[in-house]
Amino acid sequence: MTSEQSKSDISRARILDAAAKTFRQKGYAATTLIEIAKAAGMQAGSLYYHFGSKDELIEEVLDIGMRRVHEAVEESQERLPADSSYRDRIRVAVEAHLTTLLKHDDYTSANIRIFGQVPEEVRQHHIRQRDAYAELWRRILTKAQKSGALRSDVDLGLVRMLLMGALNWSVEWYQPGRTSIQTIADHMCLMLFSGIGIEEPIRSGENETVA
Amino acid sequence: MTSEQSKSDISRARILDAAAKTFRQKGYAATTLIEIAKAAGMQAGSLYYHFGSKDELIEEVLDIGMRRVHEAVEESQERLPADSSYRDRIRVAVEAHLTTLLKHDDYTSANIRIFGQVPEEVRQHHIRQRDAYAELWRRILTKAQKSGALRSDVDLGLVRMLLMGALNWSVEWYQPGRTSIQTIADHMCLMLFSGIGIEEPIRSGENETVA
DNA sequence: GTCTATATTCAGATAGAC
DNA sequence: GTCTATCTGAATATAGAC
């Protein structure tokens, strides 16, 4: 039980990597074990030495993906100075979530993209883990609100859903090199804390022309 | 060519309705023609009288879905008084998008959920239509920014993506009866225009206790 | 227009050789 | 541990009867 990696461990990891990548790209049902095996450099039948079924494989991919965001966000909080502002706490959480999602993690983005496609039974097995992650955000936002850093008249559940949506949707459009992850996080935090609106001058009904 | 509906038209519509509903629920690959046929009250083979293939069917579902949001948002703008504020213009657009998505439209929500799963060829056929819808939002936001209603130092492309993400993700969590669509739209607009942050008092480093 | 029957294709899974 | 070969089931699509 040291950090030695048996041949089995190595193959297993290669399969998981290939699976996460393929599931993320093609979705659950459209991904075949043949494809995964090929990407992992072996034959389809060989997968069954490591995993009992396609669903067992997808479950582990989902599990790893969720664990990684969860840990990343949790660590972002622990790394902060104890006297950090609540805005900073939320800001680093947003950055951690986005970075995990977009930077190098096929597992996390696979989780987000295909969770809605997997068989009901697989989904059931992950509800607990999803809830735990939701709970982490709930705590962060609730503390911020109680402390007076967030408006007290908003439904934090709704805010959380809208925030997660904005962040998670990035897996559908983000392309490395076009915008930095930091810029995305900055825009998200600006919207969340201050909004991007400006008071409009009162107008008298005419269609004004703007230079 | 009046509004008469032939038997064929009626069956076709029933098939499309059943397809939109099933695709939305189960995703693209996991939905079988057998299921769709059953939901439409016929045998799988009969579908081929109306559609040449599964992909032809999905293309029409995607097409209808996108057309409906597009029209809904466009009409929301046309219905507004000419002297409406830019905030109001954005607000009704948000409401129209969300309402179409969540109220009665399996087509639109199917479009959002499965677009990422369909074969590349099908996706290609819809890029133009998707671009047209993006362009509609781009115009709305750009006019608002130019008029001074939105901060000039933000990347509107990013804002649009984050906004669409927050709205579209609602298909994953929205449940009728729990929160009203109007409340969701209100929260979204509040975040977008004003944010939900409150200036935090300057603190001196200690962990303060809050009553 | 819709049915029944079926051809075809292909994926998930198993068995035994190496 | 991985391979090859294969079973089994299921889904798209076609053909011809009604």
Side-chain angles (χ1 to χ4, degrees):
Chain A
M1 297 302 155
T2 68
S3 67
E4 298 290 313
Q5 293 215 326
S6 66
K7 185 176 181 191
S8 175
D9 289 341
I10 294 171
S11 292
R12 206 184 140 83
R14 260 214 330 275
I15 294 169
L16 282 168
D17 283 351
K21 191 170 181 173
T22 316
F23 279 129
R24 186 188 87 79
Q25 285 172 351
K26 307 216 170 184
Y28 170 75
T31 295
T32 70
L33 296 181
I34 298 169
E35 260 179 302
I36 294 175
K38 194 174 174 186
M42 59 178 71
Q43 297 297 314
S46 310
L47 297 179
Y48 287 84
Y49 175 80
H50 302 277
F51 299 92
S53 69
K54 185 181 183 180
D55 284 357
E56 241 180 59
L57 180 51
I58 190 69
E59 280 198 31
E60 187 145 349
V61 170
L62 291 176
D63 185 71
I64 294 172
M66 186 51 68
R67 190 161 56 235
R68 289 198 185 168
V69 234
H70 194 126
E71 285 175 2
V73 172
E74 216 156 38
E75 282 165 16
S76 78
Q77 301 299 298
E78 289 161 4
R79 264 199 309 274
L80 276 177
D83 64 342
S84 299
S85 71
Y86 291 95
R87 284 203 186 193
D88 281 345
R89 292 185 182 282
I90 292 171
R91 180 180 304 279
V92 296
V94 165
E95 288 168 357
H97 182 98
L98 261 186
T99 304
T100 310
L101 211 56
L102 302 178
K103 203 151 187 179
H104 22 235
D105 207 329
D106 285 331
Y107 291 88
T108 304
S109 41
N111 183 302
I112 297 210
R113 291 200 75 181
I114 71 183
F115 185 76
Q117 306 170 31
V118 301
E120 187 55 29
E121 203 191 318
V122 176
R123 207 175 6 248
Q124 285 299 331
H125 285 173
H126 282 272
I127 286 193
R128 208 184 291 263
Q129 211 184 357
R130 292 222 140 197
D131 283 351
Y133 185 55
E135 179 59 27
L136 173 55
W137 274 96
R138 215 176 283 127
R139 270 203 305 274
I140 295 173
L141 293 174
T142 305
K143 275 199 279 186
Q145 191 182 43
K146 280 202 180 137
S147 81
L150 295 182
R151 289 175 60 144
S152 60
D153 61 346
V154 295
D155 178 337
L156 279 191
L158 264 184
V159 168
R160 203 181 75 245
M161 291 309 205
L162 293 169
L163 173 61
M164 286 296 121
L167 298 181
N168 288 345
W169 198 252
S170 66
V171 300
E172 305 290 340
W173 55 264
Y174 173 73
Q175 287 179 307
R178 293 186 59 192
T179 342
S180 74
I181 295 176
Q182 188 58 52
T183 305
I184 303 174
D186 289 344
H187 273 71
M188 186 68 249
C189 290
L190 177 63
M191 280 176 61
L192 184 62
F193 296 132
S194 315
I196 62 167
I198 291 179
E199 288 300 324
E200 293 182 83
I202 291 143
R203 292 179 294 143
S204 40
E206 85 288 11
N207 288 347
E208 87 285 35
T209 326
V210 182
Chain B
M1 300 305 152
T2 66
S3 67
E4 297 291 312
Q5 293 215 329
S6 66
K7 184 177 181 189
S8 176
D9 287 340
I10 295 171
S11 291
R12 206 183 141 81
R14 259 213 330 272
I15 294 169
L16 282 168
D17 283 352
K21 190 169 179 174
T22 316
F23 279 129
R24 185 188 87 79
Q25 284 172 352
K26 307 217 172 185
Y28 171 75
T31 295
T32 71
L33 297 181
I34 297 169
E35 261 178 304
I36 294 175
K38 194 174 173 186
M42 58 178 71
Q43 297 297 313
S46 310
L47 297 178
Y48 287 84
Y49 175 80
H50 302 277
F51 299 91
S53 69
K54 184 181 183 178
D55 284 356
E56 242 181 58
L57 180 51
I58 191 70
E59 281 198 31
E60 187 145 347
V61 170
L62 290 175
D63 185 71
I64 294 173
M66 187 50 71
R67 190 160 58 235
R68 290 198 183 167
V69 233
H70 193 126
E71 285 175 1
V73 173
E74 216 156 38
E75 284 165 15
S76 78
Q77 300 300 297
E78 289 162 3
R79 264 200 308 275
L80 276 177
D83 64 342
S84 299
S85 72
Y86 290 96
R87 287 203 183 190
D88 281 346
R89 292 186 183 282
I90 292 172
R91 180 181 303 279
V92 297
V94 165
E95 288 167 357
H97 182 98
L98 261 188
T99 304
T100 309
L101 210 59
L102 302 178
K103 203 151 186 180
H104 21 236
D105 209 327
D106 285 330
Y107 291 89
T108 304
S109 41
N111 183 302
I112 296 206
R113 292 200 74 179
I114 70 183
F115 185 76
Q117 307 171 30
V118 300
E120 187 55 28
E121 203 191 318
V122 176
R123 211 179 357 254
Q124 285 299 331
H125 285 173
H126 283 272
I127 287 193
R128 207 185 291 264
Q129 212 185 356
R130 291 222 142 198
D131 284 350
Y133 185 56
E135 179 58 28
L136 172 56
W137 274 95
R138 214 176 284 126
R139 271 204 304 275
I140 294 173
L141 293 174
T142 306
K143 275 200 280 186
Q145 190 181 44
K146 280 200 179 139
S147 81
L150 295 182
R151 289 175 60 144
S152 61
D153 61 347
V154 296
D155 179 336
L156 280 192
L158 264 185
V159 168
R160 204 180 76 247
M161 292 308 204
L162 293 170
L163 174 60
M164 286 296 120
L167 297 182
N168 289 343
W169 197 254
S170 66
V171 300
E172 306 289 341
W173 55 264
Y174 173 73
Q175 287 178 308
R178 291 185 60 192
T179 343
S180 74
I181 296 177
Q182 188 58 51
T183 305
I184 303 173
D186 288 344
H187 274 71
M188 186 69 249
C189 290
L190 176 64
M191 280 176 60
L192 184 63
F193 296 132
S194 315
I196 62 167
I198 292 179
E199 287 302 324
E200 292 183 83
I202 292 144
R203 292 178 295 143
S204 40
E206 86 288 13
N207 287 346
E208 87 284 34
T209 325
V210 182

